[in-house]
Amino acid sequence: MALARRAGIDTWTSSIGEPIGAVIVDPHATGGPSAIVIAGDARWKGSTSPQRSGGGNIMAHATMRAISQVAKKRLAMLRDPPAPDNTSLFADYPLTPIETAMYSQNNLAAGGYLCLDLEIYTTHEPCIMCSMALLHSRFSKVVFQTRMPHTGGLASEVVPAATSSGSANIPTGGLGYGLFWRPELNWKLLAWQWVDEEPLEMDLDCANVHA
C-alpha cells in the first residue's frame, strides 16, 4: 500500500492526476510476493485548463493504467514492445520515475492469462468502471484503503440516513453494488479494505471523485 500511496502522490504533485495509486502484485512470484506494475492517476494529463472540471480522462484512472501496463508487458513477451505512445487515451506507459523503474523490470511470469491470480492494492475504492475492469481482468484479490461511498463499486454495505423530512432514507454510506461477489457476474474475487491508523497524506473529496 505504501507503493500505491507513493504512485498517487507522484502523479498528483506532477499535476497530471489525483492522489490515487495502484500496485499490481504477483503473490506467487519466486522468492515471495512481488510488485509487477505501479500506476498513479493521470486523468488530468494533457489538460491545459487551470480549472479542472468534470471527471477528466476516465481511461487514465490508476486502476485502468495498471491493468493496461500488465497487458503491455504480456504483449512484450510475445513480440518487440511498441514504442510509448504519448497520445494514448489510456496513458498506459510509465509517467513517473517509480512507474518507470517497476515497468522496466522483467518481473511478470510468462504464460499467464490477463491478470489471473494477481492481486491489486489501491489507495481508494475503485469506481464502478474500474471495479468491472478488475472482474474482466480476472484478479484474485483487491485491497483498497479509503472507501468512496458515493462512487465506489466494491463495497456492499449501504448505511441509510434520514432525509430532512424524515419520510424516506437515502443511501449515504455506499452504493451497495458489491461487484466483487455478485452472482449475476461471471467472476468473483476477494475484496478487502485496508485499515490503517495513518491517513492518506492527501485525501480526496469522497463525494465527487471517481477513483
Side-chain angles (χ1 to χ4, degrees), residues 8 11-20 41-45 52:
T11 53
W12 187 84
T13 55
S14 299
S15 298
I16 60 175
E18 298 291 343
I20 303 168
D41 182 83
R43 70 188 65 195
W44 303 118
K45 184 181 182 300
R52 295 173 174 174

Side-chain angles (χ1 to χ4, degrees), residues 96-108:
T96 64
I98 191 173
E99 291 183 5
T100 301
M102 186 62 65
Y103 185 78
S104 62
Q105 295 181 27
N106 182 20
N107 54 10
L108 184 60

Side-chain angles (χ1 to χ4, degrees), residues 125-144:
E125 180 185 1
C127 68
I128 296 170
M129 175 190 70
C130 290
S131 296
M132 287 302 299
L134 295 178
L135 268 73
H136 289 308
S137 299
R138 300 300 191 254
F139 280 94
S140 64
K141 182 170 71 177
V142 54
V143 181
F144 62 86

Side-chain angles (χ1 to χ4, degrees), residues 128 131-136 138 153-154 177-189:
I128 296 170
S131 296
M132 287 302 299
L134 295 178
L135 268 73
H136 289 308
R138 300 300 191 254
L154 293 177
Y177 290 146
L179 293 178
F180 69 97
W181 64 268
R182 285 290 178 183
E184 306 95 318
L185 302 175
N186 66 352
W187 188 256
K188 297 179 181 63
L189 67 158

